[in-house]
Amino acid sequence: MRPGFRWALWIVATLTLAALAASFWWDWRTVERPPLAPPPAGLPARIEQVAGDGHRGVRDGTRDVARFDDPFGIVVAADGTAFVAEGAASNRIRRLHPDGRVDTLAGSLEGFVDGTGGDARFHTPSGLAIDTAGTLYVADTGNHAIRAIDVDGRVTTLAGTGAAGFADGPALQARFHAPTGVAVDAAGRVYVADGFNDRIRVIEGGTVRTLAGDGRPGFEDGPGASARFDTPSGVAVDADGIVWIADTGNNAVRSITADGVTTTLVPYGDQPDAAPSMPVSIAIDAQQRLYVGELSRGRVLQFDPDGRAYVLTGRDMAQRLARPAGLAFDAHGRLWVADAAAHRVQRIVQVRPDRAKQNLDNAVVGPAPDAAYPDTRGRWPLAPQDGWHEVVGTLGEVRGNFRGESRSHLHAGFDVRGDVGSTVLAIADEKIASPYAAAGFGDQAENLSIDSLAYMHMRVGRMPRGEALDPRFQQVPGDDGRTMRIRIPRGTHIRASEAIGTINAQAHVHLILGPSGYQRNAVGLGFRNFTDTVAPRIDDVMLMDALDVPLTAREDGRVVVAREGGGLQIVVEAWDQVDGNLPRRRLGLHTLGWQLLDARGTPMLGFETPRFTIDFDRMPPHREAVRVAYVGDSGITVHGAARTRFRYAVNNTVRDGRLEPALWDPKDLAPGDYVLRAVVRDASGNSAARELPLQVR
């Protein structure tokens, strides 16, 4: 053999081995392997972003560029392909391939049409299920029907007529009312959470029957029609054939045996806050553990088969989902989430406790902070929509409660004063996204959540004396015949300027922009004729110790600060006004910070510009944020008549979703004279500053 030929063979062999090795390495790195053992219950969890950039839209492509609009239901096929049902303006079933590509399987414009791919039409599809043959089942909420999609993308109607109502019998003659959840068992029986019929239905052999529920909202265990549910939204079936229900309006997880006996899961354990609050989605893993997503608090809960409860994610507010409307497991035991209000597809992975913190820091959750505002065209929620109205509250203000606590919570909305009984008007074209959109009937906090906007402190869908505004708002009678609830189905269109309620005794509309935990400052909507040319007012700048005790000692007009006295709070008492408001109306500020100067007024190193530590562009996702942003003796109780006081602790950071308490420690300063400057801004960009001379010893 010639030397050159031997050399060529050696090169070919080497390259072949390298290719095989690379192929093996690539396979090892990219092919998902099932876990060797399931993780124990109760471990911390992290949220992994799978697809979607947090902006709403319908855009196919790679997982990084794809966009979703109200991704509500989700299932994962055996080959790892995930399917997502989208409502809002999408009305599509999207497909997320194992390689990360996102495309559309079926659906296009809103409607009720069978067909293949884009020729088919849905109306606000919600829950999804998949059987062993790969057939998808869709709870087509707005069409009051259950649809099926075969592996070729052909859509047919499995049950329902397209009209709301209730009727058992032949599948294509049966009627549903806003079905939201759907599941399928090993025998091919399809279970439906028939939300506004308050029933659990079964489709089998071309016939629809009722498994449990009597059609009236309530909370009763028992067999068949003696049981009662309140807007059941999620449904799942375990390996033993037990049907599990996310019973949204009852804040409960329910189970139904094969013969139709309903019982309620009673959670227990060491986490007293693990009881479900407005559960909307439900899934079951291979170990028969339940997982429940919450509509209002954005958490996912985990339940052992015996009912022991854990908060899987959402206990730390930085790990709060926006609306985990759909949950599903894949073949590898990973929990997928359709996070509807974040416009993302996520996965939840349990981790070792020693790695929990780093995983929390790397989480990508919630809608994009710079997501587009809804198109309101500057409308106000009261007539005239193009005229001026008095603003009586802004996002981030400190609020109290009826128990006398002055720092109970942060104000999450934008308050517009209105006379009791005045009609509340929608400010944008939107679509009801929640299966439980009208809440708090008869309470001062009664509200309607449409999509990105919610309206509070009104009689939802009715006039001051209780007359219905229009048939879309369904008045649900109780056993005594009197109205006990207002309902409006998911998928209902609400047009700008339409009446949606009347102001109750609170005498204002509380307007909320964004999902719970991710509210944005609604002043950014740009209300017509709203102007603010008034600079904020700073009443005081002071230093306090960690116990809220002010430093009062002065020398030559300067506050005496001991270098070794420990950390201090920098407190700024300030407030804002806007044009046209009553002189007594004090509003909270948007941005606050501080700056340290030497005696000549020259900024100290690291303080060349003010440190803006507090910013209320969006709601801080932490319950304790109110006690970090404000010191004691701030605000007023909701029933009080005391002067409104906003006393901000600008030594702490509350901005960009971060919450960082940090006392100012003067120990590194040389003895001498200094100036502490507080700088504040309102939402319109008006600013003010005030200085506090210091003598450091």
Side-chain angles (χ1 to χ4, degrees):
M1 184 179 295
R2 295 192 304 271
F5 187 66
R6 287 198 302 270
W7 180 248
L9 283 177
W10 183 85
I11 292 174
V12 170
T14 301
L15 291 174
T16 301
L17 288 172
L20 289 171
S23 176
F24 174 79
W25 181 86
W26 179 257
D27 180 75
W28 178 79
R29 292 296 300 267
T30 59
V31 176
E32 302 288 352
R33 306 293 183 186
L36 296 177
L43 287 180
R46 61 180 170 90
I47 298 173
E48 292 182 339
Q49 183 180 353
V50 178
D53 62 0
H55 296 267
R56 70 185 312 156
V58 182
R59 188 166 73 187
D60 292 340
T62 64
R63 66 180 75 205
D64 296 328
V65 304
R67 288 186 174 176
F68 299 88
D69 194 359
D70 186 33
F72 198 95
I74 189 168
V75 292
V76 187
D79 66 354
T81 302
F83 299 90
V84 180
E86 291 182 306
S90 174
N91 301 294
R92 291 168 169 85
I93 309 301
R94 308 286 294 284
R95 183 167 50 190
L96 176 56
H97 297 270
D99 63 2
R101 290 180 298 114
V102 177
D103 60 16
T104 298
L105 174 65
S108 54
L109 301 176
E110 183 176 291
F112 189 28
V113 178
D114 289 342
T116 300
D119 293 333
R121 294 189 180 185
F122 302 89
H123 183 346
T124 320
S126 299
L128 283 179
I130 190 168
D131 66 17
T132 55
T135 299
L136 289 171
Y137 300 93
V138 184
D140 194 1
T141 305
N143 284 322
H144 313 287
I146 307 301
R147 316 287 291 280
I149 310 174
D150 66 19
V151 294
D152 297 320
R154 185 169 56 253
V155 178
T156 57
T157 299
L158 181 67
T161 66
F166 170 74
D168 284 337
L172 296 180
Q173 299 174 28
R175 286 195 173 189
F176 302 85
H177 195 176
T180 306
V182 64
V184 59
D185 67 12
R189 288 181 287 262
V190 177
Y191 298 86
V192 180
D194 192 4
F196 279 22
N197 279 321
D198 300 294
R199 291 176 167 96
I200 307 304
R201 317 280 293 280
V202 183
I203 308 170
E204 183 180 13
T207 300
V208 177
R209 61 183 173 88
T210 296
L211 179 65
D214 72 349
R216 294 175 295 173
F219 187 40
E220 296 287 342
D221 288 340
S226 68
R228 285 192 179 182
F229 304 87
D230 187 346
T231 323
S233 299
V235 59
V237 187
D238 69 19
D240 297 324
I242 303 298
V243 181
W244 293 89
I245 307 299
D247 193 4
T248 306
N250 282 321
N251 300 311
V253 175
R254 319 284 294 278
S255 65
I256 311 172
T257 61
D259 55 355
V261 177
T262 299
T263 57
T264 300
L265 176 70
V266 181
Y268 77 96
D270 303 325
Q271 299 182 2
D273 60 342
S277 176
M278 300 190 76
V280 65
S281 54
I282 191 165
I284 304 169
D285 69 10
Q287 289 71 48
Q288 300 286 76
R289 294 182 294 214
L290 293 175
Y291 298 78
V292 175
E294 294 181 317
L295 184 64
S296 59
R297 293 197 287 184
R299 305 184 305 173
V300 174
L301 311 178
Q302 181 187 56
F303 301 91
D304 280 348
D306 62 356
R308 188 175 186 87
Y310 307 91
V311 179
L312 187 63
T313 186
R315 176 179 293 277
D316 186 307
M317 298 296 283
Q319 283 275 283
R320 177 175 181 155
L321 297 157
R323 187 182 299 144
L327 300 176
F329 280 95
D330 63 17
H332 308 286
R334 298 172 303 184
L335 181 58
W336 294 60
V337 183
D339 196 358
H343 316 294
R344 300 182 190 270
V345 176
Q346 318 262 29
R347 277 197 299 256
I348 297 176
V349 180
Q350 291 185 266
V351 298
R352 294 191 339 231
D354 61 335
R355 296 183 178 179
K357 182 59 169 65
Q358 70 183 65
N359 286 308
L360 290 177
D361 291 342
N362 295 328
V364 179
V365 297
D370 59 344
Y373 287 99
D375 182 13
T376 69
R377 305 192 180 182
R379 301 181 185 92
W380 293 83
L382 297 170
Q385 290 195 287
D386 60 351
W388 175 87
H389 296 271
E390 187 174 18
V391 175
V392 297
T394 60
L395 186 142
E397 294 180 353
V398 60
R399 288 288 190 270
N401 59 33
F402 289 101
R403 298 179 298 277
E405 168 56 50
S406 65
R407 291 185 298 165
S408 170
H409 60 280
L410 293 176
H411 189 248
F414 184 81
D415 290 347
V416 182
R417 197 202 71 81
D419 294 334
V420 175
S422 298
T423 301
V424 181
L425 306 171
I427 63 174
D429 293 339
E430 291 197 311
K431 193 175 176 182
I432 297 290
S434 170
Y436 202 95
F441 180 83
D443 295 338
Q444 295 299 307
E446 186 175 347
N447 64 90
L448 176 67
S449 178
I450 301 179
D451 186 354
S452 60
L453 292 163
Y455 307 76
M456 183 179 289
H457 303 314
M458 64 178 183
R459 304 173 185 88
V460 174
R462 59 198 193 280
M463 301 295 289
R465 294 186 177 182
E467 307 94 329
L469 284 173
D470 70 63
R472 295 173 300 179
F473 297 94
Q474 303 163 18
Q475 299 196 9
V476 181
D479 292 338
D480 60 0
R482 294 186 296 180
T483 301
M484 59 172 285
R485 288 274 302 281
I486 298 294
R487 279 178 160 171
I488 184 166
R490 169 172 158 83
T492 302
H493 288 275
I494 302 293
R495 304 298 182 187
S497 304
E498 288 184 337
I500 57 175
T502 51
I503 293 180
N504 63 24
Q506 286 287 317
H508 70 272
V509 180
H510 177 81
L511 186 66
I512 302 172
L513 172 62
S516 179
Y518 295 98
Q519 299 95 333
R520 301 174 68 183
N521 200 321
V523 73
L525 294 170
F527 298 90
R528 297 175 189 172
N529 298 310
F530 173 80
T531 58
D532 180 7
T533 62
V534 183
R537 177 171 172 176
I538 302 177
D539 285 340
D540 201 2
V541 180
M542 67 191 80
L543 294 177
M544 292 183 175
D545 65 17
L547 300 177
D548 292 356
V549 178
L551 276 61
T552 58
R554 291 181 177 265
E555 185 76 26
D556 297 327
R558 297 179 176 271
V559 175
V560 177
V561 179
R563 295 174 64 226
E564 306 301 327
L568 299 172
Q569 299 182 88
I570 303 170
V571 179
V572 180
E573 184 170 341
W575 48 280
D576 189 35
Q577 285 186 314
V578 300
D579 297 2
N581 269 15
L582 293 174
R584 62 179 174 83
R585 191 75 68 195
R586 297 187 173 195
L587 302 175
L589 294 172
H590 190 281
T591 308
L592 302 97
W594 65 288
Q595 190 176 21
L596 189 63
L597 316 173
D598 64 21
R600 299 185 302 270
T602 302
M604 300 287 292
L605 184 64
F607 290 92
E608 291 79 8
T609 58
R611 295 181 179 179
F612 289 107
T613 52
I614 296 177
D615 187 281
F616 290 116
D617 185 62
R618 59 189 175 110
M619 192 70 172
H622 305 271
R623 296 185 185 92
E624 63 273 24
V626 65
R627 295 182 176 274
V628 177
Y630 296 91
V631 298
D633 199 27
S634 294
I636 59 173
T637 61
V638 295
H639 57 80
R643 180 168 64 98
T644 301
R645 301 184 73 183
F646 301 115
R647 308 178 82 197
Y648 301 90
V650 299
N651 50 284
N652 298 328
T653 297
V654 182
R655 65 176 298 160
D656 301 327
R658 295 182 293 123
L659 191 70
E660 298 174 3
L663 296 173
W664 174 55
D665 196 337
K667 66 180 181 180
D668 294 330
L669 292 178
D673 293 342
Y674 300 88
V675 176
L676 178 68
R677 175 184 291 163
V679 183
V680 303
R681 295 174 182 166
D682 60 26
S684 298
N686 304 303
S687 63
R690 182 165 174 171
E691 296 179 347
L692 179 67
L694 307 178
Q695 186 179 101
V696 177
R697 297 178 176 178

